Amino acid sequence: MDIEKLPAELDEDLEMLRARDFWGALTLICCSVFFLWRTSFIPFLGENRAGVSGAEWYNSAAIVPFGIWLAMLLLGLVLLRIAIKAGGAERAFSAVGLGWNQKEAIRIGSIAVIMGVFIFALVPRVDFILASGLVITALIYGFHAGRIGRMLLVAVVVALPGLYALVMHFPQAEWNKPHDDDWVVLAAWVMLTIWMLAHDRSCIARATPWVAVLTPLILVTAMAFGFRQNVPNRGGLLFSHIEYHYYVTLRPLWRN
């Protein structure tokens, strides 16, 4: 191996990655703008339902999608700025950044599988906290080190319980039925977490379980009890107990 060629090869890979970041940022910005535009059709203030005014802004169903897609828009703008500053735009417009790269294809394909399964299979059928915790763990462990083996592993770990939920509870009438799919996702999440902690001693790996638990827990409780929003699968394995204890155990404490 010619060591003198390594810096040049690394620079080449970095430039190509920035070129793809440039195109990815533009795609993310376009999607965010589109969904923000569509969300603008949801009444935000002054809504009237059956003669009852819903003028309180925090009761609007537009709050959560506005927040999510605004965050995606800001993320896209930051990524675009970084890509342009690093020369990604010049490389992208030269069409060199459109070449085939196996590692990049596996990375994008694995992320597409995980997000596709999360959106179309897990979220409608599985407890939101469990589904989000599994996906967050998979994304952090699978991609923070840039190893192809990890990417393929986490894609399979997310896809299998998602496929089970999709096959066993496909019709909408089955989405809130017995929690066998919740237990399958929980088992996959626990096994992936144990595997991660056994094979990765980094600070990121040790922090991942906390992030994977607290992020969806805070989000779903804020949506359900703070902003009074509908949350996916209210009868889920974990959220059904949280909702019960909120209304039966906690809420009477300050109402009385």
Side-chain angles (χ1 to χ4, degrees):
M1 179 181 292
D2 189 350
I3 299 180
E4 294 181 355
K5 293 182 179 180
L6 288 179
E9 293 176 356
L10 292 176
D11 289 341
E12 184 78 12
D13 291 340
L14 182 59
E15 289 180 4
M16 186 170 292
L17 179 61
R18 290 309 182 194
R20 292 190 175 94
D21 286 345
F22 175 79
W23 295 118
L26 290 181
T27 302
L28 182 60
I29 290 172
C30 291
C31 290
S32 301
V33 171
F34 171 78
F35 284 108
L36 283 172
W37 170 64
R38 294 301 302 173
T39 305
S40 67
F41 289 97
I42 301 176
F44 196 79
L45 292 174
E47 183 182 10
N48 191 293
R49 295 179 180 175
V52 179
S53 176
E56 296 85 353
W57 63 270
Y58 50 81
N59 285 329
S60 174
I63 292 177
V64 173
F66 259 129
I68 292 174
W69 291 111
L70 183 59
M72 292 296 102
L73 177 61
L74 294 176
L75 179 63
L77 292 173
V78 171
L79 181 60
L80 181 65
R81 179 180 179 275
I82 294 174
I84 294 175
K85 189 175 180 180
E90 182 179 356
R91 184 66 180 262
F93 285 121
S94 68
V96 178
L98 298 176
W100 170 261
N101 183 289
Q102 183 180 13
K103 182 178 180 179
E104 188 71 10
I106 292 175
R107 183 175 73 90
I108 295 175
S110 300
I111 294 175
V113 168
I114 292 172
M115 297 310 299
V117 170
F118 178 66
I119 295 171
F120 297 107
L122 294 179
V123 169
R125 299 168 179 83
V126 177
D127 184 275
F128 182 80
I129 299 173
L130 295 178
S132 300
L134 173 62
V135 169
I136 290 172
T137 303
L139 291 175
I140 296 177
Y141 173 67
F143 298 94
H144 84 86
R147 299 178 184 177
I148 293 180
R150 289 188 182 184
M151 299 176 191
L152 296 175
L153 172 65
V154 297
V156 172
V157 170
V158 173
L160 289 180
L163 182 62
Y164 177 87
L166 193 65
V167 171
M168 299 302 296
H169 302 285
F170 182 78
Q172 187 171 355
E174 295 287 326
W175 290 359
N176 288 315
K177 288 296 176 68
H179 302 304
D180 54 311
D181 49 353
D182 289 347
W183 286 108
V184 171
V185 171
L186 177 60
W189 184 11
V190 171
M191 288 189 293
L192 179 60
T193 301
I194 294 174
W195 177 273
M196 173 186 66
L197 295 176
H199 292 81
D200 191 339
R201 302 292 183 178
S202 66
C203 296
I204 294 177
R206 291 197 298 268
T208 297
W210 294 99
V211 175
V213 172
L214 294 178
T215 301
L217 180 62
I218 294 173
L219 176 62
V220 77
T221 52
M223 287 171 57
F225 310 126
F227 296 103
R228 308 293 183 184
Q229 301 292 309
N230 289 326
V231 298
N233 201 345
R234 299 185 78 96
L237 183 64
L238 294 183
F239 185 78
S240 59
H241 293 288
I242 294 173
E243 187 173 38
Y244 172 83
H245 286 291
Y246 173 79
Y247 286 110
V248 175
T249 306
L250 297 178
R251 197 178 182 193
L253 294 178
W254 61 77
R255 288 181 65 89
N256 292 334

